[in-house]
Amino acid sequence: MNDVVIIGGSFAGLAAALQLGRARRTVTVLDTGQNRNRFAHHSHGLLGHDHRSPADILADARAQLQRYPTVSLVNARATSLSGALDGFVVETDSGPAVRARRVLLAYGVADQMPAIPGFAECWGTSIVSCPFCDGFEVADRHWGLLWSGDHSAHAAVLYGFWTGRRTVFANGHAIPDAIRADLARRGVAVVEGRVTQVRHSDGHLSELRLDTGAAVGIDVLFAHPRSAPSASLHDRLGIAMVDHPLGQVVAVDDRRQTNVAGIYAAGDLANPMASVTLATSQGAMAGIYALQSMLE
């Protein structure tokens, strides 16, 4: 019987494993290696690891966890989760079931690429989502934003810290007049029509083509596709979810616990504000709270 089984071995899951390992708790981390930011060449804004490959950072983290004999890293996919507090059972696609007193869900979310030719090929290279993650490297260049709802207005304004050349692509959305007026006042152009193709060379985009026949050249496109949990284990136990403009996340309290006793969640699965820094800190805290709950 493990103290904790962690489902997902990216930044949140490994941060939790580190805290639990240092507390000499038995932990099994189940991971498929399909971390959300595997498409990114570099991770930015993570103190001590700025401009390093996400894969390299995670490889170092796994190597460091090897000094903790109570932590096991297993390359496997969790296929089912059952049981209750102090007696959870996780079935996997390889090997025996894993039993644990507590469970941490850290399997993240998967971005759902729009059906626009060329979009997926550019994702993580010249189509990105976060200016704090990638804005510095493309500052003062021509930025585009693929509109996905009224929440996009804040993003278009925020980008002004990095560049004065901004174009919003309405992509079939009806942008309210008040927002259009504010964007115009800030020097942000709005282009009508749906994007039908992303022209690129090896993932580096050159222009967007629209159903109006227009073609607009830009250097980088910011987009916020919808996301969905990378697994459905939360559904089977009736774990509560919270809606946000681009999908759903698992609902947690201040101690990172879900509405099901003994099950915790951290990282992108439990926070719509995707960030490696947030995922790492939340994972560490989830591990600590799971540990503390065993004393109650």
Side-chain angles (χ1 to χ4, degrees), residues 23-235:
R24 303 187 301 175
R25 300 303 92 198
T26 54
V27 182
T28 294
V29 181
L30 302 174
D31 186 46
T32 63
Q34 298 297 300
N35 52 295
R36 185 184 188 185
N37 64 351
R38 66 189 182 277
F39 302 101
H41 301 291
H42 299 95
S43 180
H44 298 116
L46 182 61
L47 187 64
H49 297 285
D50 190 51
H51 204 66
R52 290 192 65 204
S53 160
D56 289 345
I57 299 172
L58 289 172
D60 285 351
R62 294 186 187 101
Q64 291 168 7
L65 283 170
Q66 291 178 8
R67 70 183 288 245
Y68 300 101
T70 60
V71 177
S72 299
L73 304 179
V74 179
N75 182 17
R77 180 181 299 278
T79 56
S80 70
L81 170 60
S82 60
L85 185 69
D86 290 325
F88 292 104
V89 180
V90 181
E91 301 285 348
T92 73
D93 61 358
S94 61
V98 181
R99 301 178 182 275
R101 297 180 61 193
R102 303 290 186 272
V103 176
L104 172 57
L105 304 179
Y107 46 75
V109 300
D111 294 301
Q112 300 173 323
M113 300 294 104
I116 301 173
F119 189 101
E121 291 81 356
C122 293
W123 183 246
T125 299
S126 57
I127 300 181
V128 294
S129 63
C130 171
F132 293 98
C133 302
D134 297 292
F136 182 85
E137 284 68 30
V138 291
D140 298 322
R141 301 176 71 180
H142 189 178
W143 290 20
L145 170 64
L146 193 65
W147 195 268
S148 53
D150 288 354
H151 56 275
S152 297
H154 172 72
V157 172
L158 181 67
Y159 299 164
F161 285 115
W162 288 271
T163 184
R165 301 170 61 197
R166 292 165 287 171
T167 297
V168 164
F169 294 88
N171 201 34
H173 290 270
I175 302 176
D177 291 341
I179 293 178
R180 287 176 177 273
D182 184 62
L183 292 175
R185 180 176 64 83
R186 298 174 185 273
V188 180
V190 176
V191 174
E192 300 297 337
R194 291 186 178 275
V195 176
T196 58
Q197 183 183 13
V198 177
R199 296 291 302 276
H200 68 97
S201 176
D202 294 326
H204 297 276
L205 69 81
S206 57
E207 66 180 18
L208 301 187
R209 293 198 169 184
L210 298 104
D211 59 4
T212 60
V216 181
I218 55 173
D219 296 308
V220 61
L221 178 67
F222 282 78
H224 305 97
R226 293 187 65 81
S227 63
S230 295
S232 59
L233 302 178
H234 54 281
D235 285 338

Side-chain angles (χ1 to χ4, degrees), residues 12-26:
L14 295 182
L18 177 60
Q19 300 302 320
L20 291 161
R22 291 187 58 78
R24 303 187 301 175
R25 300 303 92 198
T26 54

